[in-house]
Amino acid sequence: MEFDIIITNAARAAVGPEALILALAAIGLNMHFGYTGLLNFGQVGFMLLGAYGTSVAVATFGWSLWLGVLLGLILATAFAITLGLPTLRLHALLFAIVTIAAAEIVRILVGSTDAIGLTGGPLSISFDAGAFYDLNPYPDGPNDRYGAGTFEFTGQQLWVMTVGWTLVALVSVGVFLLVRSPWGRVLKSIREDQDAARSLGKNVFTYKLQALVIGGLIAGLGGVLDAIKTSGADPNGFRPQVTFFAYAALLLGGLATYIGPVLGAILFWFLRELIESFLRQLVAQTWLPDAIANFFDGAEGIISVGMVGLALILLMLFRPQGIVGSRNEMQLNG
Amino acid sequence: MVESVQPILTVPAEVGTPKPNPILVVDCLERSFDGLKAVDIDHLEIERGVVTSLIGPNGAGKTTLFNLLSGFEQADKGRWQFDGQPATHTSPDKLARRGMIRTFQLTKSLSKLTVLDNVLLGAPDQQGERLWAAPFQSKWQQQEQANRQRAEELLERFNLTHMCHELAGTLSGGQRKLLEVARALMANPVLIMLDEPMAGVNPALGQSLMRHITQLAFEGVSVVFIEHAMEVVTGLSDWIVVLAQGQVIAEGPPWKVIHDEAVVDAYLGGQQENRQR
C-alpha cells in the first residue's frame, strides 16, 4: 500500500476542475436551498444548459467561444425563469418534483437521436476551446508539468483551475455581498416563513425568482467551465446524481454559510478519490482473498460514492450543521 | 391632556352601522368550509384611528375574517375597501405595502434570524431589499442605520433589548408575540390587525402592550384586535364587534355591548354555563 499516492491522488481531486465545478453547483444550491428554502432538485439542468449552450454555439453554430459562454448563461437564466414562473407558487415539495423532472426533460431532449444535428444527441458533442487556452499563461509543452509526484497537472489543467477557482472566489464574494444585505434578509425570512414575509409587504414570488435565477446562473457557470474543461459535453454527464452530489457537498460544508459549499465540494472530491484510490490499491494486494478482490475490482468508483453517502449520514447524525455551520441555528425548529 | 369627544361615540350601537370615517368597509363577505359558513357578514365598517376589538366564542370566524381581509385566504364572495381603495382580490404583500399589517395567532417569528433582524424586516421601502442595490452597502447603509435605531427603540419598549442579537427561535412564546407586534409596528401600519396579541404574554408586559396599543390609536393608527378575555377588551377598546358563527351579532361601545342580550347568550352566557359546571 502506498499511502502517499492515495493522499496525493485525493488532494489532486480536491483542488482539481471537478471540485471547482461542484463548488459552483453547490454555491448556487446554497442560494436556492440554504438561503431561500427552495428545494431545487434540478440543479444539474442549469449545468447542462451552461455546458450545452457553450458547446452547441461553438460546434454547431460556429460562434466564438465567448458568445458560446454567453449563450450558456442565457439558457441557464431562461431555464430558471421558465421553471420558476409556473412553479414557484407551488408547495415546496411539488416544486422539488417539478425541478427534478425539468432537469431530466432537458437531458433527455439534448440526448435524443432527433437532436443529433443540433447537440450531437446521445453521442457527445465536442468543440474547439482554443480561444480559452490561447490565454493560458502557463507554458504547456509536452513535458511541462506542475506539481510533484501524482499531485501534478498539465499547463492546460492548471489554467482551467486558475480561472475556475478565481470564479469560485468571485462568486462567493458576490453571494456574500448579496446575502448580508436587506435583500438577503428577505430571502431568509422566506425560508423561515413565507407568510410572515408576505404579511410585511414582501413580494415573495419575485424574491424566489431572483434567487432561482442567481443560483441557476452560478450552476450554469459551472456547466460552462465543465464544457471548456472537456472541450465538449455528454448527456450522461448530467444525470440527476450530479444534483445530489451538490447537495452532499453543501450539507458536508454547512448549509447557509458562505464558505460551506466550497469546503464541502473540496471535501467531497477528497473523500471520494481517497476511498477510490484506497480500494484500487487494496484490490491489487496479493494477501487479499480473490472473492473480496473480485467484488471490489471495477466497482471502486461506485463504492467510494456510497462511502461518501455513508459519511454524509454520519455527519447528519453527529454534526448536522456541517463543517462550518452553527449547531445552535440547526437545532431551532419552527 | 384634553381629548375631544371621539366621533365614534356618537355612532349608534347597531349591527352594520355606518361609521364617520371608516378605514375598512366590508360588504356581503362570505367564506364557507365544506358548506359551513365560517364568515358571513352583510356589512361592517371599522372606524379609523380607534381601537376596535373583535370578540366571539371559539370558531366564530374571527381569524378567518382576518385572513380574508388581509388577503391570506380567498373569499367565496364579497368585497371590501381599505383606506378608501378596493382591497378585494389583492395579494397580502400588496395590502401590507398599503399599510394593512397583521399578526398571526400562531406566531410567525423567523427562528433562524436574530430578534433585531426580525424587526428590521418589517421596515417599509428598504433600498437594500432591491436586488440591484443589495450588493452596494453604500446605497442602503444610511437607511439601514436609521431603521436599526427605530428597531432598537421598539425592542426596548417591548423589553426585548437583551435578546436583540439572539436568534428569534430562542424566545419564549410570550416574547414571540411581543416580537411580532414590534415587527408589525416597524412597518408603519395605517391599520394594524393583531390576532390575540396578549395570549401567553405575562400580565405586566401585557399591560404595557395595551398601553402601547392605545397610544397607537392616539397617534392615528387604526387598531383591530382579536381577543378572548372580556376584561381586556372592555378596558381597551373604543368599539367592540361581536362575531358568532361567522356573523356579526352585535357591535357598539364596550359598555353597551357587554349588556347586549345576544352577546350574553352567544358568548358570555356560554362562558358562565361553563363556569357553573
Side-chain angles (χ1 to χ4, degrees):
Chain A
M1 285 278 215
E2 293 172 88
F3 286 101
D4 53 333
I5 291 183
I6 295 176
I7 297 289
T8 48
N9 275 345
R12 191 175 186 283
V15 299
E18 281 81 10
L20 72 90
I21 290 163
L22 185 66
L24 287 170
I27 293 170
L29 211 50
N30 197 28
M31 184 55 110
H32 294 154
F33 183 61
Y35 294 118
T36 323
L38 292 173
L39 205 49
N40 169 20
F41 281 135
Q43 190 71 330
V44 69
F46 295 95
M47 302 169 78
L48 182 148
L49 286 165
Y52 267 91
T54 310
S55 307
V56 169
V58 180
T60 313
F61 302 159
W63 296 1
S64 80
L65 178 65
W66 309 116
L67 275 178
V69 170
L70 192 65
L71 180 68
L73 296 178
I74 289 172
L75 286 179
T77 309
F79 186 57
I81 294 171
T82 38
L83 184 63
L85 282 180
T87 56
L88 278 176
R89 291 178 210 277
L90 300 178
H91 186 272
L93 294 179
L94 294 177
F95 176 77
I97 294 167
V98 174
T99 52
I100 195 169
E104 276 296 84
I105 289 170
V106 288
R107 183 179 68 84
I108 290 164
L109 281 179
V110 300
S112 74
T113 47
D114 293 328
I116 284 180
L118 186 68
T119 64
L123 314 164
S124 52
I125 187 169
S126 61
F127 65 93
D128 178 15
F132 176 80
Y133 294 108
D134 285 347
L135 301 174
N136 181 3
Y138 308 111
D140 189 36
N143 298 318
D144 287 318
R145 289 285 182 278
Y146 301 86
T150 53
F151 189 80
E152 196 180 66
F153 302 94
T154 66
Q156 286 204 348
Q157 287 170 327
L158 197 60
W159 178 227
V160 171
M161 285 156 58
T162 308
V163 173
W165 286 114
T166 307
L167 285 172
V168 168
L170 289 176
V171 164
S172 297
V173 170
V175 169
F176 165 75
L177 289 176
L178 278 172
V179 168
R180 66 149 184 188
S181 75
W183 183 82
R185 189 161 60 212
V186 178
L187 288 198
K188 290 183 215 162
S189 77
I190 291 169
R191 176 191 70 197
E192 295 301 304
D193 192 322
Q194 57 178 19
D195 278 346
R198 272 197 193 101
S199 75
L200 295 167
K202 316 302 174 196
N203 188 333
V204 167
F205 178 75
T206 305
Y207 283 99
K208 281 183 177 176
L209 194 60
Q210 288 173 346
L212 188 67
V213 168
I214 292 169
L217 254 178
I218 298 171
L221 189 63
V224 168
L225 283 171
D226 190 45
I228 288 175
K229 178 197 70 143
T230 50
S231 293
D234 184 326
N236 287 320
F238 300 96
R239 293 185 173 278
Q241 63 252 40
V242 179
T243 300
F244 296 105
F245 292 160
Y247 266 104
L250 181 57
L251 295 174
L252 276 170
L255 206 56
T257 60
Y258 296 118
I259 195 74
V262 180
L263 282 183
I266 292 173
L267 190 66
F268 177 89
W269 272 100
F270 182 84
L271 288 177
R272 200 176 145 172
E273 188 57 38
L274 187 80
I275 297 162
E276 192 172 338
S277 237
F278 172 78
L279 289 175
R280 234 187 244 119
Q281 292 220 3
L282 188 70
V283 171
Q285 301 299 310
T286 47
W287 49 262
L288 200 70
D290 277 353
I292 296 177
N294 289 339
F295 173 76
F296 284 125
D297 198 11
E300 296 95 341
I302 295 165
I303 293 171
S304 86
V305 172
M307 298 296 271
V308 174
L310 188 66
L312 202 60
I313 292 171
L314 293 174
L315 183 86
M316 290 296 106
L317 285 173
F318 297 107
R319 200 178 161 82
Q321 70 273 36
I323 304 169
V324 291
S326 141
R327 177 145 205 147
N328 289 340
E329 203 170 302
M330 202 68 205
Q331 283 170 336
L332 292 174
N333 279 317
Chain B
M1 207 180 325
V2 182
E3 273 184 69
S4 56
V5 175
Q6 282 178 315
I8 188 79
L9 298 178
T10 65
V11 174
E14 291 162 11
V15 172
T17 183
K19 309 287 186 310
N21 188 8
I23 181 87
L24 258 179
V25 180
V26 182
D27 276 302
C28 307
L29 183 62
E30 272 185 33
R31 174 75 165 119
S32 311
F33 296 109
D34 298 326
L36 191 79
K37 275 187 183 166
V39 168
D40 180 10
I41 292 174
D42 273 346
H43 187 81
L44 176 65
E45 295 187 7
I46 304 285
E47 176 69 356
R48 187 189 299 267
V50 303
V51 180
T52 305
S53 57
L54 203 56
I55 64 167
N58 289 324
K62 306 183 293 288
T63 296
T64 307
L65 178 60
F66 261 32
N67 288 345
L68 293 173
L69 293 177
S70 58
F72 278 90
E73 266 183 54
Q74 297 300 311
D76 296 334
K77 62 182 245 200
R79 57 186 189 281
W80 60 99
Q81 285 191 348
F82 166 60
D83 209 4
Q85 302 291 321
T88 325
H89 304 303
T90 309
S91 63
D93 52 294
K94 206 173 262 179
L95 285 172
R97 288 197 294 275
R98 276 165 57 181
M100 185 200 282
I101 301 291
R102 55 102 31 114
T103 66
F104 297 86
Q105 188 176 11
L106 298 170
T107 48
K108 293 189 181 294
S109 50
L110 308 161
S111 305
K112 289 177 192 170
L113 268 64
T114 65
V115 169
L116 182 63
D117 271 344
N118 263 269
V119 180
L120 281 171
L121 184 73
D125 303 320
Q126 295 189 49
Q127 293 300 320
E129 286 184 355
R130 295 173 192 188
L131 178 57
W132 312 117
F136 311 106
Q137 200 178 8
S138 57
K139 286 196 193 291
W140 46 265
Q141 186 154 34
Q142 212 175 354
Q143 192 190 23
E144 179 81 356
Q145 277 304 327
N147 285 340
R148 210 185 156 102
Q149 203 175 349
R150 212 158 69 78
E152 279 165 358
E153 283 167 21
L154 278 168
L155 286 172
E156 195 172 335
R157 278 198 234 172
F158 291 107
N159 274 7
L160 289 169
T161 303
H162 61 294
M163 300 298 285
C164 189
H165 298 292
E166 301 293 323
L167 297 178
T170 61
L171 295 183
S172 72
Q175 285 174 320
R176 286 181 200 207
K177 279 276 177 199
L178 295 172
L179 174 62
E180 219 183 36
V181 176
R183 197 170 66 189
L185 292 180
M186 189 73 194
N188 289 334
V190 176
L191 167 68
I192 186 167
M193 297 162 65
L194 306 165
D195 198 343
E196 295 197 26
M198 317 288 183
V201 177
N202 83 51
L205 271 180
Q207 287 289 334
S208 105
L209 182 61
M210 278 190 255
R211 274 198 301 279
H212 207 86
I213 288 174
T214 25
Q215 178 64 26
L216 274 178
F218 189 69
E219 287 163 10
V221 178
S222 313
V223 183
V224 180
F225 72 99
I226 294 176
E227 187 53 65
H228 270 302
M230 197 66 176
E231 57 277 14
V232 172
V233 171
T234 47
L236 189 56
S237 341
D238 300 301
W239 195 262
I240 296 181
V241 175
V242 189
L243 279 182
Q245 289 164 357
Q247 296 181 324
V248 179
I249 56 163
E251 60 171 307
W255 63 89
K256 283 194 181 153
V257 166
I258 51 171
H259 299 301
D260 187 289
E261 248 173 67
V263 178
V264 175
D265 278 357
Y267 184 59
L268 301 175
Q271 270 194 350
Q272 275 162 2
E273 265 171 44
N274 285 340
R275 282 194 195 125
Q276 280 162 7
R277 266 177 218 160

